[in-house]
Amino acid sequence: MEWIHRHRDTVGNVAAVLVLALVLSLALGFGASVVQAQSNGTTSGTLTQGTCNNSVCDYTLSLIWPITNTQFQNIVVTVYKSVGSDQQVSTLTYQSDTAKVVYSGVYLYVYDIMAACNITLVDPNNIAWSVDASNVVYFSVYLSGTERPPCGGGNFTPPSGGETVTADAGTITVGDTTATYAVDPSKLTNLINSTSGSTVTLTIPDQVHTPQVSISLPADAVAALASAGKDVSVSYQGASLQLPKETFSLPGIQNAQGSLVLALGTQTGDAAKALLQSAATGGTTPVSQVFTLDLGFEANGVVTPFTGTFAVPVRAAFEYQPDQLGSAPLGSLGDYWFDGSTWQFVGGIVDGQDHQVGANLWHFSTYTVLSYQKTFADIAHHWAKSTIELMASKHVVKGTSATTFEPDRAITRAEFTAMVVRALGYPLQTPATSPFSDVSTKSWYYSVVATAKAHGLVNGVGGGRFAPEAKITREEMAAVVVRAAHALGKGQTLSASQADAVLKAFADAKSVSAWARAEMAEAVADGLIKGRETGLAPAADSTRAESATVSMRFMDFLGLLGDH
C-alpha cells in the first residue's frame, strides 16, 4: 500500500508551547515571588509573580506542552481555590496560536489563554489547576515565569464568525466548530492541471483550527475529478485521506444532485470522552483522538449521507500519540471504527516515524487508534509465539479458547480462509444463496467463505463443494495467498519452466500437485512459504502456527503491516 503522508506542520516529536496567562489578582505582599501550584495529579509546577499594584499581584503560569498543535482544540484550564477543592475561581478557554517559531528544526506553537481579572484566592500558597485537552491526558508540563499578555486577551484573534480564508481550490469559511471549504470548479481545474503526479492535494491552511472541516464539491468539481482520473488527498487534525479516482466515478456519487460533501476532523467534548471510555475495554487502550469521517450530498441545504460502500477502498491514516504506547509494541496498534455499540478493527499499517496508523476504509464512520495485545498460555515457548501474538493483535487469528491457541493443531480450510479475509480487511458478504453446497448459511464461516469466493480467493474442491471442515494442506494454503496477492496486483506470475527452477531446490518438489505447482512456486519465490526440515511437504496438513506465520508474511508482502 502506498503510504499516505499527512501534510504536517510539525517535525519529529513536536513540542508546543502553551502560554497560559492566569491573571490572578492575589492579596499578597511584595515579598512573595513564587507560589507553588499543584496539578490534578499528572504534573506540577510554579506560578510566577508579575506586576503588583496596592499589594494585589498578577501571576503567570507558562507550560511547555510536547504534543502537536492538532491536540489543542477545546483546551480548558481551570484554577481551583485550593488543592482538592471543587470550587473553581477561573476557567480559561483556548483561543488560538499567537506565533509559530522555528527552533532547531522543531516548530513551537505558542498559545495565549486568558483568565478574568481581579480574582482573589483563599489560600494563594495552595491553589490547584487542571487541564482537559479533548481527553488527551498524556502530556508533560514544565513551568516557568513569563511576561503576561495584556489583561483580557492574547495577541492574535483566529478566523471566526464567518471570516474567510483563501485556499488552493476555493475559499474556507470558518465557524465556531466547523470550517466549510467551498471548492471552486475553475480553481480545482487549475489545481488539477498543475499537478503532475497522480494525486491532487487539497491543502487546509494553517490558520484553520476548527475541530471539523467540511469540503463541498459542486457537481462540476466532481465531474472534473472523475475526468482527470486522479486521486484526491486531504489531511486535517491528524486524519489523512487519499480518495482513489474511482470514488468520483461511482454511480451513486456521479449521478447525485447537489454538492458532494466530505467532512473530516475530531470529535470533542463529552461525546469524545464517552467514546474513548467505551474503547478502553476488552484489553484495548486508546492512544489517539476520536476522528470522524463523513460523506454525503447537499441539496437545498439538506445533507443526505452516502450509505454505500466504496468499490475501491479509501486509504486513510490516523495520528496516534507515542507517549501513550508505553511498553506496547508498534504491532499492537490498529485503527478501529465504532459501529454504534462496539469498536471494530479495520486495519493496522503502522508508520512509527510519522506516528500514524493506516487502513483501507470501505465506508466512513467514527475512528480511533487503539493498542491491543493478546497472548495464549500454550504458546509461551513456541517457535511462533511472537508471530501469533502479532496476528492476534491484528485480529487475524483467534484462539480456540480465551487462553489457548493450539498452535500445532491442523487448521481447517474454513479457518484459514477466515484468516486471509481478515488480513485483507474485506467487508463480509452474506448472499442469500451459499456459493457452495456444503457451506450452510447458518455456519460461523458462511460469510468469510462467501466473501473469499466473491473475491476469487477460493474455488472449492469440485462438484460445487468447499469442504470447509477438511484440513487445509500446505499447497492449498499457498494457492489461496497467491490468488489473493494477484487479486491486488501483487506477486509474480511464473512460467512452467520458472516454477520448476524454483521448486527444484526442494527434495520433494515432484510431490507438488500439478494444479498447485505454479502457485506453490510463486509462494516460495515471494517468500510466503518456506519448507519444513523435510522439504515443502505440499500435501501435509498446515498447522495453526504455520498458517499464522504465512498470514504474517502475506500481510507484510502486501504492505498491510508496516512497522512492528
Side-chain angles (χ1 to χ4, degrees):
M1 169 182 171
E2 180 181 355
W3 258 109
I4 309 163
H5 290 285
R6 181 172 65 87
H7 173 69
R8 303 177 66 89
D9 290 323
T10 53
V11 179
N13 187 14
V14 178
V17 175
L18 172 62
V19 178
L20 302 180
L22 303 184
V23 188
L24 305 176
S25 297
L26 305 179
L28 295 176
F30 290 94
S33 61
V34 173
V35 177
Q36 294 298 316
Q38 297 185 25
S39 75
N40 55 357
T42 307
T43 53
S44 63
T46 61
L47 284 173
T48 303
Q49 179 178 304
T51 304
C52 294
N53 184 16
N54 295 327
S55 298
V56 177
C57 302
D58 295 331
Y59 284 80
T60 302
L61 176 61
S62 177
L63 299 85
I64 300 176
W65 204 329
I67 56 178
T68 66
N69 66 311
T70 59
Q71 303 295 328
F72 283 95
Q73 301 303 319
N74 297 320
I75 289 177
V76 175
V77 178
T78 303
V79 178
Y80 298 88
K81 281 190 173 181
S82 62
V83 175
S85 170
D86 292 331
Q87 188 172 358
Q88 300 178 9
V89 296
S90 177
T91 298
L92 306 92
T93 305
Y94 164 78
Q95 290 187 8
S96 187
D97 57 311
T98 62
K100 183 164 63 176
V101 183
V102 179
Y103 177 74
S104 298
V106 176
Y107 288 97
L108 303 181
Y109 287 83
V110 181
Y111 292 79
D112 282 351
I113 298 179
M114 299 299 298
C117 295
N118 303 318
I119 296 171
T120 300
L121 298 180
V122 175
D123 180 3
N125 292 293
N126 190 29
I127 70 168
W129 55 269
S130 66
V131 179
D132 178 2
S134 301
N135 304 303
V136 183
V137 295
Y138 34 88
F139 55 80
S140 299
V141 177
Y142 306 88
L143 304 181
S144 63
T146 183
E147 181 180 355
R148 68 179 179 86
C151 180
N155 304 323
F156 176 78
T157 302
S160 62
E163 291 188 41
T164 59
V165 176
T166 301
D168 47 9
T171 57
I172 299 176
T173 302
V174 180
D176 292 335
T177 60
T178 302
T180 302
Y181 188 159
V183 174
D184 182 321
S186 62
K187 288 187 176 181
L188 177 63
T189 299
N190 291 337
L191 181 61
I192 291 172
N193 292 337
S194 64
T195 301
S196 59
S198 60
T199 301
V200 176
T201 299
L202 297 179
T203 303
I204 311 299
D206 291 345
Q207 61 263 46
V208 179
H209 294 284
T210 53
Q212 298 275 333
V213 65
S214 177
I215 302 172
S216 180
L217 295 142
D220 289 348
V222 174
L225 288 170
S227 176
K230 292 181 182 290
D231 296 351
V232 172
S233 174
V234 60
S235 299
Y236 191 65
Q237 295 291 28
S240 299
L241 299 180
Q242 186 162 334
L243 286 78
K245 58 183 182 293
E246 291 84 357
T247 305
F248 306 100
S249 299
L250 287 172
I253 290 178
Q254 207 172 39
N255 301 331
Q257 300 298 314
S259 298
L260 178 66
V261 178
L262 169 65
L264 69 158
T266 57
Q267 184 73 268
T268 60
D270 291 341
K273 288 181 181 179
L275 287 167
L276 288 173
Q277 287 172 356
S278 70
T281 59
T284 55
T285 302
V287 294
S288 79
Q289 301 180 88
V290 175
F291 303 95
T292 57
L293 305 177
D294 293 289
L295 192 67
F297 310 100
E298 182 177 10
N300 301 319
V302 178
V303 177
T304 303
F306 175 70
T307 57
T309 57
F310 304 120
V312 177
V314 172
R315 295 182 289 278
F318 301 105
E319 187 176 285
Y320 69 90
Q321 291 298 322
D323 291 347
Q324 281 297 279
L325 194 55
S327 61
L330 289 175
S332 69
L333 295 176
D335 293 330
Y336 290 72
W337 70 280
F338 191 64
D339 67 3
S341 58
T342 58
W343 290 91
Q344 304 290 338
F345 180 81
V346 69
I349 310 169
V350 181
D351 182 340
Q353 180 175 351
D354 283 345
H355 303 146
Q356 291 182 323
V357 181
N360 293 326
L361 308 183
W362 296 89
H363 61 83
F364 282 166
S365 183
T366 298
Y367 300 88
T368 196
V369 181
L370 303 178
S371 172
Y372 173 68
Q373 296 182 80
K374 177 67 177 177
T375 192
F376 304 94
D378 57 352
I379 66 169
H381 304 290
H382 198 275
W383 63 267
K385 177 180 182 292
S386 61
T387 297
I388 293 169
E389 290 174 340
L390 175 61
M391 290 294 94
S393 73
K394 302 299 184 184
H395 300 270
V396 172
V397 303
K398 299 181 183 296
T400 54
S401 75
T403 59
T404 60
F405 185 76
E406 299 183 55
D408 297 319
R409 175 173 74 75
I411 190 171
T412 68
R413 289 167 53 83
E415 287 175 322
F416 184 68
T417 301
M419 284 187 187
V420 174
V421 170
R422 292 181 199 127
L424 293 171
Y426 284 144
L428 295 180
Q429 301 183 21
T430 54
T433 304
S434 175
F436 298 104
S437 61
D438 57 351
V439 175
S440 169
T441 57
K442 296 180 180 180
S443 62
W444 70 264
Y445 45 77
Y446 170 64
S447 58
V448 294
V449 173
T451 302
K453 176 62 175 175
H455 287 279
L457 308 184
V458 296
N459 294 324
V461 295
R465 297 173 56 252
F466 181 70
E469 303 291 350
K471 305 299 186 291
I472 192 168
T473 64
R474 286 169 53 81
E475 64 183 9
E476 288 174 330
M477 182 172 61
V480 171
V481 293
V482 167
R483 289 171 193 158
H486 285 178
L488 296 174
K490 303 289 185 179
Q492 306 179 52
T493 300
L494 303 179
S495 66
S497 60
Q498 289 173 325
D500 288 343
V502 170
L503 296 177
K504 71 178 183 180
F506 300 92
D508 56 354
K510 292 183 178 179
S511 63
V512 178
S513 298
W515 67 267
R517 197 165 183 81
E519 290 160 325
M520 178 63 94
E522 289 171 23
V524 171
D526 290 333
L528 305 179
I529 296 285
K530 296 182 180 179
R532 292 178 174 176
E533 292 182 0
T534 57
L536 277 176
D541 294 337
S542 177
T543 67
R544 287 171 53 80
E546 287 176 330
S547 298
T549 302
V550 169
S551 296
M552 186 271 291
R553 293 175 186 151
F554 169 67
M555 292 181 71
D556 230 359
F557 178 69
L558 296 180
L560 296 176
L561 278 182
D563 298 327
H564 54 87

